[in-house]
Amino acid sequence: MADRTTQSGIPLQPFYTAADRSSGGDDEASREPQSDPGEYPYTRGRLASPRRRDSWISQELSGEGTARRSNEQFRQLIERGARGLDVIGDAPTMSAMDPDHPLARHAVGNTGVSICRLQDFEDLYADLPLDELTFSHSLPPGAFAVAAFHRVAKRRGFDPKALRGSTILLPAYCEDCSYQIHMPYDLRMRLALDSIEFAATEMPRFHAFLEDTYYISDGGLNAIEEMALGFVEIREIVRTLIDRGLDVDAFAPRIAILVNCRMDLFEEVAKIRATRRIFARMMREEFGAKDPRSWSCAITAHTSGLSMTMAQPVNNVARGAVQGLALALAGVQAVEISCFDEAYRTPSHDAHMVSLRTQQIVQLEAGADRVADPLGGSYFVESLTDELEQRILEMVGSIESMGPLKEVSEKGWFRRLFQEAMTRRADAIQDGSETQIGVNAFVIPREEDRLLRDQSESKIEPYWGRIDEIRHFKDGRDAGAVAEQFARMREVAAEGETNLIEPIADAFEAGLTQGEIAGALRLGVGEAYDPLGQMEPPA
Amino acid sequence: MSAPRPIRILLAILGMDQHEAGAFAVARLLRDAGMEVIYLGRFGTPEIVAAAAQEEGVDVIGLSCHSWEYLYYLEELFELLKSRELDVPVVVGGSVLSQSDESEIQAKGVAATFGPGSDSAEIVQRIRNLVEARGAA
């Protein structure tokens, strides 16, 4: 191994010259001459000129306790200058389980918001201008959020066509990294495709097709693996939508990618530039998209939680600033910076403030985003962009050569990849090959490590009261309506043709919860209602 | 003289905590150190852990945590172990273990704690010491 490499292992030279551009990349003949920002293949940016004041939408991940409590957090964030919201669910919500599930009892509302019924979504969006803000829903499966957002907006008199935001899908990977929803591949894929197809006509400004490579990569995948897996899934979804008879230009303009941003500044910049180029060429040349909006991919970014440490939490503020700078230099459409307490909890009020201020300082004081692609033409960054493009495409090719994505996924190949990445990363920290200040370098005694310590380690108690609230809610419903919608949900899941979004919204409206809808869908495709075998169907 | 029996350790994650990175890393570390690791996977409960500890006849129970749920499950686990008359030390490690959590759960009866940044060699040695101290008792 070279003595200098990027975080993903690309060997580095001591310096770069014009000669490195042509030696580094893919086949020279196919490369376009250097284009401008806003021009195909969009390496240098999606837009010709960044927006005048702030080039990206500032968001911060939020959500804790009940939907009402999270709605208060939203308002505070907006007051401080956030222009988008990103809500994350607690562990049961992320797994499509209700708070009254026995296994959820100490996990309600303390790692995100507890959401399970339509009323919760109404409380979440209460009094907010749904047509003015963007709402990112880190609430899998995305189909539930699409159905609920659409239905609540309609009920409140907003035109769903004006709704903006996103939801995450991850049909190929979500069982293998982080939170499981316990649904088989075909059902997960159908929920994803139905969400995209529904949103393409009903919520055309909403990104129902958000490839969230942050979510899959923050266990320890490197930048190449992150984007290769992202593109494998995007390609599979695009091919399947085309097979369903959709015109690629009907949905491609609303494809977005939410990328991770680690600490390797130049590699992350080059990764984002390479991603835009790969996407543009793939959509135009391979999938035949004609609309230029289908070629230029919206990219949003969330800085790596894994890069944040429990040791010396104040160091995380410096990390956030470097990552924010990387994103400004790469050019992205929205940014979230992980907070100084990220290693311990979902962000507190104070931590939100620091992260938002970091974004504002990078943009408005440092002016790092005043010009599109300020690193364009750098010998090093252009060479690294070529190298990353080539390595990402090679890995995409090698995964696709293993067979149909469903088989590769069901064989457990991705699960092994995620596991290996986790142990590889643990080793790199343990043996010091990846430096983390305060962890394996420049360590200070624990008793001296006090700065921001108490703020970073304040706990959120579980919202135990919510468990009874939901039990009570379930007991008070119209049993006939619940039974009817439950049966319909099972039926449409089994029959396999109907788009699932309207039936899910109807089920919500009849009082069904996410846990019950997920259970009905599972029953419809021959799986157990509750994968953990502890809950009975409502009807 | 026959070789001593390897240390058997049960490794579990409780509740809805689904982050397995720490558990995988520790499982491999302990296996490399010659221990037998029985990893129970995700979605564990105190009942599942206590029953498995008895069936497998383990020397140590290790809980891996990336959420605070373990804090609320510990007492239940200790009661279940007691009712099964299992005198097995419980150790807890994980990314969310703060200094104050470590002292709090040690007071509750946890035999050893490993916060983020714990040294591999130290983890192995402290588990060995725990088991040897019991063998000698």
Side-chain angles (χ1 to χ4, degrees):
Chain A
M1 196 159 150
D3 59 348
R4 276 177 244 229
T5 68
T6 65
Q7 202 171 16
S8 74
I10 296 174
L12 293 176
Q13 302 166 194
F15 60 88
Y16 286 76
T17 67
D20 296 308
R21 182 78 219 273
S22 51
S23 64
D26 50 1
D27 134 35
E28 181 66 16
S30 72
R31 188 176 302 126
E32 325 285 322
Q34 185 74 296
S35 61
D36 288 339
E39 283 179 6
Y40 184 85
Y42 304 96
T43 315
R44 305 198 59 204
R46 189 171 193 230
L47 303 171
S49 157
R51 288 159 42 92
R52 191 55 77 66
R53 187 171 157 75
D54 46 350
S55 69
W56 67 67
I57 294 173
S58 302
Q59 322 186 117
E60 285 301 327
L61 193 72
S62 60
E64 82 182 39
T66 61
R68 290 180 294 279
R69 164 84 195 99
S70 301
N71 179 267
E72 282 166 31
Q73 281 189 317
F74 290 171
R75 287 153 199 268
Q76 286 167 349
L77 284 163
I78 293 163
E79 237 166 65
R80 293 178 194 155
R83 292 199 289 118
L85 301 168
D86 184 2
V87 60
I88 185 157
D90 61 11
T93 303
M94 299 299 275
S95 294
M97 280 161 62
D98 293 342
D100 59 338
H101 192 289
L103 208 69
R105 68 183 185 272
H106 300 311
V108 179
N110 57 353
T111 54
V113 60
S114 174
I115 295 276
C116 73
R117 54 187 174 157
L118 195 62
Q119 178 68 50
D120 299 330
F121 282 98
E122 284 180 340
D123 290 345
L124 197 64
Y125 309 129
D127 301 321
L128 297 171
L130 301 188
D131 52 351
E132 285 172 28
L133 295 160
T134 75
F135 289 83
S136 303
H137 300 80
S138 293
L139 298 172
F144 290 1
V146 169
F149 195 31
H150 184 263
R151 190 57 61 96
V152 170
K154 259 173 59 177
R155 276 162 69 149
R156 284 188 43 200
F158 289 102
D159 180 0
K161 296 203 160 48
L163 298 177
R164 288 180 304 146
S166 64
T167 187
I168 55 179
L169 304 168
L170 301 173
Y173 312 123
C174 69
E175 293 301 283
D176 297 323
C177 60
S178 202
Y179 299 108
Q180 276 186 283
I181 56 170
H182 293 107
M183 290 182 189
Y185 180 94
D186 286 337
L187 178 57
R188 301 192 314 258
M189 184 55 89
R190 182 173 166 205
L191 285 166
L193 299 172
D194 286 358
S195 301
I196 298 164
E197 197 169 355
F198 177 86
T201 53
E202 299 300 313
M203 301 155 76
R205 300 187 70 196
F206 186 83
H207 292 286
F209 194 159
L210 177 78
E211 180 66 32
D212 187 346
T213 63
Y214 175 88
Y215 191 84
I216 57 175
S217 71
D218 213 35
L221 294 191
N222 66 36
I224 296 163
E225 294 162 332
E226 173 194 357
M227 296 326 305
L229 263 61
F231 277 114
V232 163
E233 192 168 67
I234 289 173
R235 292 161 60 78
E236 180 71 6
I237 292 175
V238 169
R239 280 190 289 253
T240 320
L241 286 169
I242 292 173
D243 285 348
R244 275 191 176 193
L246 264 71
D247 177 3
V248 63
D249 287 316
F251 61 85
R254 302 314 287 171
I255 301 177
I257 308 182
L258 165 53
V259 300
N260 198 349
C261 181
R262 302 167 190 74
M263 281 307 292
D264 189 327
L265 191 149
F266 292 107
E267 178 159 80
E268 295 299 325
V269 172
K271 173 191 84 183
I272 291 170
R273 298 175 90 248
T275 295
R276 281 193 292 258
R277 185 155 75 206
I278 293 170
F279 186 87
R281 289 194 179 148
M282 182 181 86
M283 294 313 296
R284 187 164 98 168
E285 291 165 19
E286 191 175 343
F287 295 116
K290 304 266 185 313
D291 184 343
R293 294 177 311 143
S294 300
W295 307 333
S296 69
C297 179
I299 295 185
T300 78
H302 192 149
T303 69
S304 167
L306 199 63
S307 67
M308 300 289 164
T309 63
M310 282 272 275
Q312 294 185 263
V314 73
N315 295 351
N316 295 331
V317 179
R319 293 187 177 105
V322 172
Q323 291 163 327
L325 178 63
L327 295 169
L329 298 175
V332 292
Q333 277 63 56
V335 172
E336 296 183 43
I337 290 184
S338 281
C339 298
F340 65 75
D341 55 3
E342 167 74 28
Y344 194 67
R345 52 168 288 162
T346 43
S348 67
H349 181 88
D350 292 333
H352 269 150
M353 171 84 101
V354 174
S355 286
L356 263 183
R357 293 294 176 262
T358 305
Q359 297 201 36
Q360 290 154 351
I361 288 166
V362 169
Q363 292 189 292
L364 304 173
E365 290 188 17
D369 63 342
R370 271 181 213 140
V371 165
D373 195 32
L375 298 180
S378 146
Y379 299 136
F380 173 43
V381 171
E382 294 294 356
S383 163
L384 197 54
T385 302
D386 294 346
E387 184 71 34
L388 276 157
E389 177 187 21
Q390 187 191 344
R391 288 182 184 227
I392 292 165
L393 288 173
E394 271 170 17
M395 189 170 176
V396 169
S398 107
I399 295 173
E400 291 190 342
S401 73
M402 286 189 272
L405 184 55
K406 180 183 173 181
E407 278 173 28
V408 179
S409 170
E410 287 178 344
K411 265 194 328 217
W413 192 85
F414 295 112
R415 184 156 175 78
R416 273 194 304 283
L417 179 72
F418 293 127
Q419 289 177 358
E420 282 162 14
M422 289 177 199
T423 39
R424 184 181 68 201
R425 210 271 173 171
D427 286 350
I429 298 298
Q430 193 68 236
D431 69 20
S433 54
E434 182 178 333
T435 303
Q436 257 193 331
I437 306 299
V439 175
N440 61 14
F442 309 107
V443 179
I444 60 170
R446 273 183 113 176
E447 56 279 10
E448 285 175 31
D449 186 356
R450 297 303 316 163
L451 194 56
L452 289 183
R453 169 68 47 211
D454 294 340
Q455 289 91 329
S456 304
E457 290 182 357
S458 66
K459 283 196 192 67
I460 308 164
E461 285 266 284
Y463 280 58
W464 288 294
R466 165 101 173 138
I467 299 171
D468 276 339
E469 186 190 346
I470 292 305
R471 284 205 183 111
H472 190 72
F473 164 79
K474 286 185 174 175
D475 291 342
R477 293 176 299 185
D478 174 347
V482 167
E484 188 190 322
Q485 288 300 327
F486 189 83
R488 178 167 172 235
M489 206 70 252
R490 258 186 94 151
E491 224 174 87
V492 288
E495 142 275 281
E497 293 295 323
T498 313
N499 186 297
L500 292 168
I501 304 303
E502 285 284 1
I504 290 172
D506 293 342
F508 269 134
E509 204 139 22
L512 264 77
T513 59
Q514 296 200 139
E516 292 166 340
I517 296 172
L521 290 169
R522 289 189 201 104
L523 285 174
V525 298
E527 299 281 325
Y529 172 74
D530 174 16
L532 303 171
Q534 301 185 47
M535 296 288 275
E536 291 298 321
Chain B
M1 206 176 108
S2 64
R5 183 177 74 87
I7 293 171
R8 282 166 72 76
I9 178 163
L10 187 74
L11 209 56
I13 304 180
L14 295 173
M16 297 298 304
D17 182 1
Q18 293 173 56
H19 298 79
E20 292 181 286
F24 290 140
V26 170
R28 207 194 34 171
L29 170 72
L30 300 178
R31 280 187 190 123
D32 288 351
M35 300 185 196
E36 275 179 32
V37 179
I38 299 135
Y39 175 48
L40 287 184
R42 301 187 269 192
F43 309 112
T45 62
E47 293 83 359
I48 293 172
V49 173
Q54 187 151 42
E55 277 162 29
E56 299 284 351
V58 295
D59 304 303
V60 184
I61 296 171
L63 302 178
S64 168
C65 50
H66 191 83
S67 84
W68 298 312
E69 289 166 81
Y70 76 95
L71 287 170
Y72 311 100
Y73 281 120
L74 273 178
E75 275 173 45
E76 207 181 321
L77 175 63
F78 283 129
E79 273 167 34
L80 286 166
L81 292 175
K82 211 165 130 191
S83 70
R84 287 173 178 265
E85 297 179 348
L86 278 178
D87 184 21
V88 181
V90 175
V91 304
V92 177
S95 60
V96 293
L97 238 62
S98 68
Q99 278 182 62
S100 56
D101 293 334
E102 291 194 44
S103 17
E104 189 187 315
I105 62 175
Q106 283 176 13
K108 280 186 183 166
V110 171
T113 55
F114 306 104
S118 289
D119 179 68
S120 303
E122 184 207 327
I123 295 176
V124 171
Q125 198 50 53
R126 282 177 65 195
I127 290 175
R128 278 211 179 108
N129 291 349
L130 264 179
V131 176
E132 277 163 21
R134 291 192 168 241

